[in-house]
Amino acid sequence: MARIVILSCKKIRDITCVSCIKCFKAVAERAGEFERFKDEPLEIVGMGDCGDCPGLVMPKLGIISDIAKAYGRDFDVVYLGTCIVKASTTAKCPINPEELAQKIKGKFGKEVVIGTHPW
């Protein structure tokens, strides 16, 4: 079973994000970047956000990782939400998803997928 964490853009997600419905739908239907898990169980271990501009993803993911391990809920894959991709390509988001993916791989040793849903 693949165990994942999804990170979102704090400004797009806001406090209660109806946009997260898109990520949950994509997981349930194995759509978008989740299609690769079409023949296996998939579990969302946690969701977090970038930490707001200019982006505090690394320390926030560190906390998520520590808590996940402490509760026996470690994860395999980190997804950078489609909202982060959109914010970095259509607005003034300072996050470079490719560079962030490399930092996460280097520090946490986790696979990183850029994007979540196709909508």
Side-chain angles (χ1 to χ4, degrees), residues 20-117:
C20 290
I21 290 170
K22 293 178 180 180
C23 284
F24 291 134
K25 176 182 170 80
V27 167
E29 295 178 0
R30 301 302 193 265
E33 297 300 325
F34 300 107
E35 184 177 355
R36 62 194 248 177
F37 298 110
K38 66 182 176 184
D39 296 323
E40 67 180 284
L42 179 62
E43 179 181 0
I44 298 174
V45 172
M47 290 190 73
D49 61 48
C50 65
D52 211 351
C53 295
L56 299 169
V57 174
M58 297 304 285
K60 288 199 74 168
L61 188 57
I63 292 168
I64 291 169
S65 180
D66 290 346
I67 292 170
K69 287 176 186 171
Y71 284 90
R73 306 277 300 145
D74 201 7
F75 51 92
D76 310 302
V77 184
V78 175
Y79 276 83
L80 301 181
T82 296
C83 52
I84 289 177
V85 175
K86 288 183 179 182
S88 68
T89 58
T90 63
K92 293 184 179 183
C93 174
I95 292 174
N96 177 319
E98 297 289 338
E99 289 177 9
L100 179 57
Q102 291 304 314
K103 286 180 184 176
I104 292 170
K105 286 177 191 174
K107 179 164 177 95
F108 299 101
K110 305 291 184 183
E111 179 184 357
V112 180
V113 177
I114 298 173
T116 47
H117 58 77

